[in-house]
Amino acid sequence: MYFRSASLRGFRSVVAELGGQADTFAERAGLDPRALDQDDVLVEAHRSAAMLELVVEELGCHDLGLQMADRQSITVLGALAIALMNCPTLGSALDVVNTYLFVHSQFVSFELRDDPREEPGVSALYYRPARPRGPAQAVDLAMGFIHRGITHLSDGDYGLREVMLPYECPARTDIYEEFFGAKVTFRAPVEDAAVLRIPSSLPSRSLAGGDEALKHLAVAFLDRTTSRADDDLVERTRGALRHLLGTGFVDQAAVAKVFSIHPRTLHRRLAAHGTTYQTLVDEARRDQALLLVTTTDLPFGQITHMCGFREQASFTRAARRWWGASPRQLRSRQRAGAGARYRS
């Protein structure tokens, strides 16, 4: 998984203040040091996380992620930042983020859900990192950035109730609570996610100073620049389905998890390219079934399983829809045609 190197803003200055050499840490983690000074280099997420953890281990900076987040602004999102700052409400800004955040990072996914503590008037923003119980600094950086971004869009305090993190506290709890201005709970049982508990009224809050025309221009730019990414996503979904057919994991949530995006994000991006997840599943099953029925002698029950159907009757109905014939009839026609060609 990759993200734009703009997310590493602040790393060089923090490391310098600690007396370290940022380039050395980058090279040891397998990163090109030039990524520390440019915004649009694609950086492998696991190498970035390794680089941050090296600094923690060797320089003792256990709040590195928060320190980096404190030196970043929403502008690291590029054109996406322009769209966000010109949305009419915070809720519409969250919708834009969910649609286009993949441009900035391939593995970030978050959604607005019910409060895990079931407190009236409170909702929760769930952030799902690729490795929720792995290295903490990358999650700290993301959560710190999200918090600062909402603060910026809200023009100040937005009423954050609590931060819930799925790992042990890497530094002192008071450092986290001072940064977020709210209670921070570690080892929180929230489905391997990090959570910001926020007022339920927050999404409807109006954002001041927005320009609808600028928002539309920024979104149009994002649409143009992401069309190839959507093409790639369609092909990657087809590829994932070819591998997952027959394993029992062809549901949309499973494939979205392969790409580390939310299922709704996968749905929106496929729809933008004129297709649906179910259409791609049907095509993958049809292609796999045609190959197995016409080129092998495998039993139809086995082919049913290999194409991701739960029962043979469902496979037969699909075959009649695809080819106007049952799997048995299709195999017979194929063999009869092959025999005729051989005799001629």
Side-chain angles (χ1 to χ4, degrees), residues 24-91:
T24 301
F25 284 110
E27 290 169 349
R28 288 173 58 191
L31 291 178
D32 185 339
R34 290 176 295 183
L36 303 180
D37 304 305
Q38 301 176 30
D39 284 349
D40 291 311
V41 176
L42 289 180
V43 176
E44 291 181 276
H46 73 281
R47 296 189 186 279
S48 171
M51 179 180 70
L52 300 185
E53 294 303 319
L54 282 172
V55 173
V56 173
E57 294 169 7
E58 298 187 15
L59 301 182
C61 183
H62 296 280
D63 62 338
L64 174 62
L66 297 185
Q67 288 200 42
M68 289 175 61
D70 199 42
R71 300 175 192 223
Q72 296 182 2
S73 73
I74 196 172
T75 60
V76 304
L77 298 177
L80 178 54
I82 297 174
L84 297 179
M85 290 187 288
N86 288 283
C87 284
T89 66
L90 190 60

Side-chain angles (χ1 to χ4, degrees), residues 120-143:
V122 178
S123 296
L125 192 61
Y126 277 65
Y127 164 69
R128 299 189 180 281
R131 297 177 59 197
R133 300 186 185 278
Q137 298 305 318
V139 180
D140 283 355
L141 172 57
M143 290 295 285

Side-chain angles (χ1 to χ4, degrees), residues 263-321:
R264 285 202 296 268
T265 302
L266 178 61
H267 172 80
R268 282 193 296 269
R269 289 173 61 187
L270 292 177
H273 198 65
T275 189
T276 68
Y277 178 76
Q278 286 305 321
T279 296
L280 297 181
V281 170
D282 193 61
E283 291 174 356
R285 284 174 168 166
R286 180 197 62 201
D287 295 346
Q288 175 84 321
L290 182 64
L291 178 69
L292 295 175
V293 169
T294 61
T295 67
T296 77
D297 292 321
L298 291 173
F300 294 119
Q302 186 174 346
I303 294 176
T304 295
H305 173 75
M306 293 174 69
C307 292
F309 291 99
R310 293 185 177 179
E311 53 187 31
Q312 192 166 333
S314 298
F315 174 38
T316 300
R317 286 194 296 272
R320 292 188 183 280
R321 173 168 53 83

Side-chain angles (χ1 to χ4, degrees), residues 18-339:
L18 294 169
Q21 295 292 325
D23 288 0
T24 301
F25 284 110
E27 290 169 349
R28 288 173 58 191
L31 291 178
D32 185 339
R34 290 176 295 183
L36 303 180
D37 304 305
Q38 301 176 30
D39 284 349
D40 291 311
V41 176
L42 289 180
V43 176
E44 291 181 276
H46 73 281
R47 296 189 186 279
S48 171
M51 179 180 70
L52 300 185
E53 294 303 319
L54 282 172
V55 173
V56 173
E57 294 169 7
E58 298 187 15
L59 301 182
C61 183
H62 296 280
D63 62 338
L64 174 62
L66 297 185
Q67 288 200 42
M68 289 175 61
D70 199 42
R71 300 175 192 223
Q72 296 182 2
S73 73
I74 196 172
T75 60
V76 304
L77 298 177
L80 178 54
I82 297 174
L84 297 179
M85 290 187 288
N86 288 283
C87 284
T89 66
L90 190 60
S92 64
L94 290 174
D95 289 339
V96 170
V97 167
N98 274 329
T99 303
Y100 296 105
L101 189 58
F102 73 94
V103 175
H104 182 71
S105 174
Q106 294 181 347
F107 69 100
V108 173
S109 171
F110 66 89
E111 61 179 322
L112 192 64
R113 294 178 53 182
D114 293 336
D115 178 31
R117 299 200 186 281
E118 301 182 346
E119 180 180 337
V122 178
S123 296
L125 192 61
Y126 277 65
Y127 164 69
R128 299 189 180 281
R131 297 177 59 197
R133 300 186 185 278
Q137 298 305 318
V139 180
D140 283 355
L141 172 57
M143 290 295 285
F145 178 78
I146 292 168
H147 166 68
R148 282 176 52 81
I150 296 175
T151 300
H152 176 87
L153 292 173
S154 303
D155 199 24
D157 180 19
Y158 62 93
L160 178 62
R161 298 291 196 274
E162 180 186 8
V163 181
M164 306 175 75
L165 300 173
Y167 39 76
E168 296 278 1
C169 181
R172 301 195 319 270
T173 302
D174 64 294
I175 293 176
Y176 281 78
E177 295 188 341
E178 180 179 356
F179 179 92
F180 287 103
K183 177 183 178 182
V184 179
T185 301
F186 294 90
R187 297 187 66 187
V190 281
E191 304 175 18
D192 283 344
V195 172
L196 298 178
R197 298 181 63 236
I198 60 176
S200 297
S201 60
L202 187 62
S204 62
R205 181 181 297 184
S206 296
L207 303 182
D211 184 322
E212 192 72 12
L214 278 178
K215 176 199 169 185
H216 287 308
L217 284 172
V219 167
F221 172 81
L222 290 167
D223 282 334
R224 289 194 302 272
T225 57
T226 59
S227 60
R228 289 187 178 180
D230 284 337
D231 286 344
D232 180 59
L233 181 69
V234 171
E235 291 308 313
R236 286 191 295 136
T237 301
R238 287 192 174 112
L241 288 170
R242 283 194 292 270
H243 289 289
L244 292 173
L245 283 179
T247 68
F249 295 99
V250 295
D251 63 288
Q252 187 166 328
V255 173
K257 188 173 183 179
V258 170
F259 301 146
S260 297
I261 60 177
H262 192 274
R264 285 202 296 268
T265 302
L266 178 61
H267 172 80
R268 282 193 296 269
R269 289 173 61 187
L270 292 177
H273 198 65
T275 189
T276 68
Y277 178 76
Q278 286 305 321
T279 296
L280 297 181
V281 170
D282 193 61
E283 291 174 356
R285 284 174 168 166
R286 180 197 62 201
D287 295 346
Q288 175 84 321
L290 182 64
L291 178 69
L292 295 175
V293 169
T294 61
T295 67
T296 77
D297 292 321
L298 291 173
F300 294 119
Q302 186 174 346
I303 294 176
T304 295
H305 173 75
M306 293 174 69
C307 292
F309 291 99
R310 293 185 177 179
E311 53 187 31
Q312 192 166 333
S314 298
F315 174 38
T316 300
R317 286 194 296 272
R320 292 188 183 280
R321 173 168 53 83
W322 292 329
W323 309 306
S326 70
R328 191 176 304 280
Q329 290 170 332
L330 181 66
R331 179 173 280 176
S332 296
R333 282 177 5 205
Q334 170 67 17
R335 288 178 175 173

